[in-house]
């Protein structure tokens, strides 16, 4: 599109096939020409940012922010679009993955596991575990909602030191490889010790297996299914803090020893929206306080004073009329006009 920020794609072909390979948070598309005489192909590697997705739709009804479009030959024509409303996503030419990204937590689980456990001396693991989980050099594919779900299921405080959490797995790995340990004891050991690296694989797999039931750009109502699947992220009753990178982490219980200083713990009270009566005790605005004070101390009304004020005002007006010189427009003094306003206000009471 004219507003797309990605590079121009030089590939041109009347008929071609698109295939895709995923790795962590990246997706590689390969465009291959179907003409046997043309040995043409082009690779594109996509990053999705926070709002990027692919959508297949009629070519006459392109969605907004469709920054790259692949057209079909069928009639009516359709378009496979890379849609990115917030423009955090991108694509680049070539087949190379980003070099700083580690093995994928889904498709390269064993390599991912080994990559983490053999590099625990890296300074990346000096940070809280919630921040280490977003480091794509070691946890390629884990994002904000996944880290919250993984830590919640294991009851790990998000601001526990990453090395402290993962070194226990290193010891467990050593015991599993011990030939003198019986198989039954190894199985018991695996069940007893919760494995964070294993959940980094199984929790994303839950989302992938659920497929369209959780994520379907064509049906925004399916977001309700995703919300029901979540156990921690944005869930009512959970707490949240901003980590040292400014990203919000959701959790339950204590945050851990490395929590940022000077932040107030926030609770998600979303369930109160369905209970408006529960909100009344929480209102603390200046207007509501003033209203409560007024209700507690109602103004003292004196009907006699109000009626006296009205009578005095009327009598003063009559005196002015009788003493004023005859003229087309009799002069009204400022004090008289003021008395009218005062008496009227008292009458409204």
């Amino acid at each position: 599109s004219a507003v797309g920020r990605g590079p121009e794609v030089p590939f041109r072909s009347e008929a071609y096939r698109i295939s895709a390979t995923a790795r962590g948070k990246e997706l590689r598309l390969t465009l291959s020409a179907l003409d046997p005489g043309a040995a043409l192909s082009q690779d594109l590697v996509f990053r999705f940012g926070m709002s990027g997705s692919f959508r297949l739709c009629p070519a006459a009804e392109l969605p907004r922010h469709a920054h790259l479009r692949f057209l079909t030959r069928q009639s009516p024509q359709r378009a496979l679009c890379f849609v990115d409303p917030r423009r955090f996503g991108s694509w680049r030419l070539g087949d190379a993955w980003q070099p700083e990204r580690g093995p994928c937590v889904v498709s390269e689980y064993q390599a991912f596991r080994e990559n983490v456990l053999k590099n625990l001396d890296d300074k990346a693991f000096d940070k809280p575990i919630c921040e280490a989980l977003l480091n794509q050099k070691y946890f390629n594919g884990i994002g904000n909602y996944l880290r919250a779900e993984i830590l919640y299921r294991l009851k790990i405080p998000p601001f526990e030191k990453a090395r402290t959490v993962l070194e226990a797995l290193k010891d467990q790995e050593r015991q599993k490889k011990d030939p003198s340990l019986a198989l039954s004891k190894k199985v018991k050991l695996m069940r007893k010790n919760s494995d964070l690296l294993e959940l980094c694989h199984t929790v994303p797999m839950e989302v992938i297996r659920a497929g369209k039931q959780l994520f379907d750009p064509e049906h925004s109502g399916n977001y309700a299914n995703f919300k029901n699947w979540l156990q921690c992220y944005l869930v009512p009753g959970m707490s949240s803090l901003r980590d040292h990178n400014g990203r919000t982490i959701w959790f339950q219980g204590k945050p851990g020893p490395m929590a940022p200083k000077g932040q107030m713990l926030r609770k998600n009270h979303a369930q109160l929206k369905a209970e408006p009566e529960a909100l009344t005790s929480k209102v603390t605005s200046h207007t509501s306080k003033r209203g409560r004070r007024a209700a507690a101390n109602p103004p003292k009304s004196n009907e006699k004073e109000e009626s006296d004020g009205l009578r005095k005002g009327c009598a003063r007006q009559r005196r002015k009329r009788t003493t004023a010189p005859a003229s087309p427009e009799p002069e009204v003094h400022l004090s008289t006009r003021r008395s009218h306003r005062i008496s009227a206000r008292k009458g409204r009471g």
Side-chain angles (χ1 to χ4, degrees):
S1 72
V3 295
R5 294 180 179 175
E8 192 72 29
V9 181
F11 181 82
R12 295 289 182 276
S13 177
E14 285 300 314
Y16 60 96
R17 177 183 291 110
I18 302 179
S19 57
T21 307
R23 185 176 185 265
K25 288 191 172 187
E26 294 183 293
L27 182 77
R28 181 168 63 209
L29 294 191
T30 301
L31 316 179
S32 306
L34 295 181
D35 183 0
L40 296 174
S41 67
Q42 176 67 60
D43 290 301
L44 306 169
V45 177
F46 287 81
R47 293 176 63 190
F48 292 89
M50 294 180 70
S51 62
S53 66
F54 276 97
R55 195 175 305 176
L56 187 63
C57 58
E61 302 172 13
L62 291 175
R64 292 183 63 191
H65 309 290
H67 299 305
L68 192 61
R69 304 183 282 267
F70 305 94
L71 302 175
T72 68
R73 299 184 71 185
Q74 66 192 137
S75 183
Q77 196 174 47
R78 293 197 296 170
L80 177 66
C81 306
F82 177 63
V83 183
D84 186 17
R86 301 181 72 176
R87 300 193 189 186
F88 290 162
S90 63
W91 68 86
R92 63 184 185 276
L93 304 179
D95 61 353
W97 306 111
Q98 277 189 310
E100 67 271 18
R101 289 182 179 268
C104 176
V105 296
V106 171
S107 60
E108 303 168 294
Y109 172 62
Q110 282 303 325
F112 147 71
R113 187 180 183 90
E114 291 169 9
N115 185 45
V116 171
L117 294 178
K118 76 179 182 183
N119 289 296
L120 287 181
D121 293 336
D122 193 316
K123 62 182 181 181
F125 299 104
D126 292 335
K127 297 182 177 182
I129 186 63
C130 67
E131 294 176 19
L133 283 172
L134 294 185
N135 187 332
Q136 301 301 295
K137 181 179 178 181
Y138 295 108
F139 297 91
N140 186 12
I142 301 299
N144 206 19
Y145 82 89
L146 284 172
R147 68 169 177 171
E149 296 299 310
I150 291 164
L151 294 175
Y152 169 77
R153 295 189 189 192
L154 296 174
K155 307 303 179 201
I156 296 175
F159 292 96
E160 187 67 60
K161 192 173 184 178
R163 189 176 291 106
T164 304
V165 174
L166 294 166
E167 274 181 343
L169 298 182
K170 198 170 184 178
D171 296 336
Q172 181 181 325
E173 198 84 359
R174 206 177 292 116
Q175 287 180 327
K176 282 195 296 185
K177 292 178 180 178
D178 185 358
S180 62
L181 201 65
L183 180 61
S184 58
K185 287 190 177 181
K186 288 182 181 180
V187 172
K188 188 177 180 181
L189 188 69
M190 290 172 63
R191 288 177 179 172
K192 183 181 177 182
N193 297 303
S194 300
D195 192 331
L196 182 138
L197 297 181
E198 191 174 335
L199 260 69
C200 286
H201 172 72
T202 57
V203 175
M205 285 301 297
E206 287 180 21
V207 181
I208 292 168
R209 290 192 190 103
K212 280 196 171 186
Q213 294 178 6
L214 294 184
F215 294 105
D216 186 359
E218 302 292 334
H219 303 92
S220 57
N222 283 9
Y223 181 63
N225 295 331
F226 177 58
K227 285 182 71 177
N228 292 334
W229 175 83
L230 293 170
Q231 298 180 29
C232 178
Y233 183 76
L234 295 176
V235 171
M238 296 296 162
S239 303
S240 68
L241 280 174
R242 288 191 180 277
D243 63 23
H244 297 90
N245 298 317
R247 302 290 300 276
T248 301
I249 175 68
W250 297 84
F251 60 95
Q252 187 179 52
K254 295 183 178 180
M258 299 182 73
K261 307 297 181 186
Q263 270 196 65
M264 185 179 291
L265 198 67
R266 289 175 292 176
K267 279 253 183 184
N268 186 357
H269 296 293
Q271 75 272 25
L272 294 177
K273 289 181 181 177
E275 304 168 3
E277 66 275 7
L279 290 173
T280 55
S281 62
K282 298 286 183 182
V283 176
T284 57
S285 68
H286 176 69
T287 308
S288 61
K289 288 178 182 177
R290 187 172 57 195
R292 288 201 298 273
R293 284 199 298 269
N297 303 301
K300 297 178 181 178
S301 61
N302 190 329
E303 293 180 3
K304 185 176 184 303
E305 287 179 7
E306 291 174 9
S307 59
D308 287 347
L310 286 170
R311 280 199 295 273
K312 288 176 184 176
C314 293
R316 196 179 294 116
Q317 187 177 1
R318 282 196 299 273
R319 284 199 302 274
K320 292 291 180 183
R321 270 200 218 103
T322 55
T323 57
S327 65
E329 294 180 11
E331 182 183 354
V332 180
H333 289 286
L334 180 63
S335 60
T336 306
R337 290 200 299 270
R338 189 181 295 115
S339 68
H340 279 309
R341 290 198 299 270
I342 294 170
S343 59
R345 281 200 298 271
K346 287 183 177 179
R348 284 199 299 269

